[in-house]
Amino acid sequence: MALSLIAEIMGWADDSQSEATREYAWLRLMSTVKYDSYSDFRAGIRFVESLATWLKQFEPEDREVAFRFIRERLVYISVAEMQCLIEAFVPEILTPNLRQIVGQDLGIPAYDVWATKKGAETFRKRLRKTLFVGMSDGSRIDVLRRANSGRLSQEQVVPILNVDFDKWRDLAENLEGDQGMQPGEKFDSVYLIDDFTASGTTFIRNVGGKWKGKLKKFNDIIVNAKNELKEQFPIVDNFDLHIHHYISSAQAKKNLNDRLKAAEAWEQRTYGSWAISEGLLLPTTLPVSPATDGAMINLCTKYYDNQLFERLRKHCEENGQTTMAFGYADCALPIVLEHNTPNNSIPLLWADTDGKGGAHPMRSLFHRRDRHG
């Protein structure tokens, strides 16, 4: 019934040789393989039903542009794809980096680290002295733990950013008591892990000369814990900081690099060296642009409700934005993650508004759960 409704909305003829027949096959395939798994869909209202409602909000002459955008430009990260990115983190990002460090420590090539008992033991200790901190519920620390059972200790993984003093003491006690460790042993590397970054703004930004964001918050937590716990604090001074996102845009990676260089001037910076990594780097050509997506750009402005800007006025103005027509930080991404849709994606995908003051009431295709207001 929903497919027939889409055919009616799109003005497709319903016969065996028609466009509707060809598109039905694509809609059935993609719904089954990907889109129906979106976490905010409910029984009876999944992708095809949501698509019908979404398309209906556009005037008839605009519906083909909207449908083609979904057909050809939408990037959907499924549960299985996110699982792959999480599982790949330790073998493809962490392990090569640690082997390189251990190889330098021992004066041997990285590929020889596991060839000797000493190399293998040094690698094991270095891995145990690496702390992993989840920066949000999107970091999927539970999945990371299960994927690395027997490789990572439960006592070197922290699922939340706000670590209290008792937890720091537990981390210290468990590290010192682990096999081959000595009293006073401390973590020398920290990985801050999150699922997605599109602008880098949430992680670190400077507003009116004042630093904000998750990294600043983490640095402040470290400063307070060191002042309180003294020698009981389990991380060395000037530890190696690693920032890892399962998915990152090219824009975010550049911004993070630039801002971390600027933040090296922090008076109370607790970390020494820093590095940025990601499981999947989105290409610079991914954002919707006038050069390649002119018709869709027009729809983004034509059907935009400025309530979106008013909801996030403070954050938008801090970021120099005057509209949310192309998403937060003007990222204009056509991306949906299986557990939520980023507000950096174009709002036509995720916005729901009631159209006050004569504005167009926007209807989402993938309902978004707000985490930032």
Side-chain angles (χ1 to χ4, degrees):
M1 182 180 294
L3 290 173
S4 297
L5 178 57
I6 288 178
E8 181 181 334
I9 292 169
M10 294 299 296
W12 295 334
D14 193 6
D15 60 62
S16 61
Q17 302 301 316
S18 71
E19 184 177 12
T21 302
R22 295 194 301 273
E23 298 299 358
Y24 285 172
W26 180 83
L27 287 165
R28 288 193 183 101
L29 173 66
M30 295 305 293
S31 299
T32 303
V33 173
K34 283 201 156 189
Y35 302 145
D36 277 352
S37 68
Y38 188 63
S39 63
D40 232 278
F41 285 154
R42 297 290 179 264
I45 308 177
R46 293 192 182 275
F47 175 68
V48 173
E49 292 81 6
S50 184
L51 180 63
T53 304
W54 185 73
L55 289 170
K56 198 172 182 180
Q57 72 178 316
F58 302 111
E59 294 175 7
E61 63 270 23
D62 293 330
R63 291 171 185 170
E64 180 65 16
V65 172
F67 182 78
R68 286 297 143 200
F69 177 80
I70 300 303
R71 187 83 156 77
E72 298 166 4
R73 287 285 274 132
L74 180 67
V75 175
Y76 183 94
I77 306 296
S78 68
V79 174
E81 289 163 336
M82 183 61 81
Q83 179 87 16
C84 283
L85 291 171
I86 297 170
E87 291 178 353
F89 165 58
V90 169
E92 295 190 12
I93 302 294
L94 173 67
T95 299
N97 181 53
L98 278 184
R99 282 203 309 183
Q100 193 70 37
I101 293 171
V102 172
Q104 290 172 356
D105 290 346
L106 298 179
I108 59 176
Y111 58 79
D112 262 352
V113 164
W114 290 333
T116 64
K117 184 177 179 181
K118 181 180 179 182
E121 178 60 15
T122 304
F123 180 90
R124 189 195 69 78
K125 289 183 66 175
R126 192 84 191 204
L127 175 60
R128 181 62 182 84
K129 289 165 56 173
T130 301
L131 182 67
F132 304 89
V133 181
M135 305 302 282
S136 73
D137 54 0
S139 60
R140 306 295 184 86
I141 289 298
D142 57 331
V143 179
L144 181 68
R145 279 174 161 162
R146 282 197 294 274
N148 294 285
S149 178
R151 186 155 41 183
L152 302 183
S153 166
Q154 297 291 314
E155 305 303 331
Q156 66 182 124
V157 183
V158 181
I160 57 174
L161 175 60
N162 294 314
V163 184
D164 61 26
F165 295 151
D166 286 340
K167 182 60 180 176
W168 286 123
R169 291 190 184 95
D170 286 345
L171 290 169
E173 184 177 326
N174 281 293
L175 178 60
E176 291 175 1
D178 213 323
Q179 179 186 354
M181 298 297 176
Q182 303 295 323
E185 204 90 61
K186 295 178 183 290
F187 294 101
D188 49 28
S189 295
V190 176
Y191 273 82
L192 303 181
I193 300 173
D194 216 339
D195 57 344
F196 177 73
T197 179
S199 66
T201 303
T202 304
F203 208 90
I204 180 171
R205 61 188 183 278
N206 190 308
V207 181
K210 185 177 181 181
W211 288 97
K212 295 183 177 182
K214 293 179 180 179
L215 180 58
K216 180 63 168 61
K217 188 173 183 180
F218 180 72
N219 195 73
D220 290 346
I221 289 171
I222 296 287
V223 170
N224 292 334
K226 286 177 69 175
N227 290 338
E228 174 69 21
L229 300 176
K230 310 296 183 191
E231 288 304 311
Q232 286 183 297
F233 184 68
I235 305 178
V236 300
D237 293 339
N238 299 315
F239 60 89
D240 295 335
L241 175 69
H242 299 264
I243 298 166
H244 181 77
H245 290 87
Y246 299 130
I247 304 169
S248 173
S249 72
Q251 177 182 343
K253 181 153 190 172
K254 179 181 183 305
N255 286 341
L256 284 174
N257 265 304
D258 292 344
R259 292 168 188 173
L260 282 163
K261 286 177 184 174
E264 288 178 352
W266 287 358
E267 290 183 2
Q268 290 190 306
R269 184 160 67 102
T270 57
Y271 55 90
S273 67
W274 53 269
I276 299 168
S277 60
E278 60 286 315
L280 173 65
L281 181 63
L282 301 173
T284 56
T285 54
L286 183 62
V288 175
S289 73
T292 56
D293 307 280
M296 194 61 190
I297 291 282
N298 291 338
L299 297 197
C300 287
T301 53
K302 181 177 179 179
Y303 294 94
Y304 169 65
D305 183 346
N306 200 50
Q307 282 185 48
L308 298 179
F309 176 80
E310 296 300 331
R311 288 178 192 169
L312 292 172
R313 174 178 284 276
K314 178 183 175 184
H315 297 287
C316 289
E317 289 183 341
E318 284 182 355
N319 204 37
Q321 283 184 258
T322 57
T323 177
M324 275 284 288
F326 304 106
Y328 186 65
D330 293 324
C331 289
L333 291 173
I335 194 168
V336 173
L337 310 183
E338 48 83 20
H339 62 283
N340 206 359
T341 303
N343 66 0
N344 310 89
S345 291
I346 57 169
L348 275 183
L349 289 173
W350 53 265
D352 284 293
T353 70
D354 52 18
K356 286 181 180 176
H360 170 74
M362 302 177 76
R363 297 289 173 261
S364 64
L365 176 55
F366 297 95
H367 177 71
R368 168 180 161 75
R369 289 183 183 272
D370 278 339
R371 290 190 295 183
H372 307 296

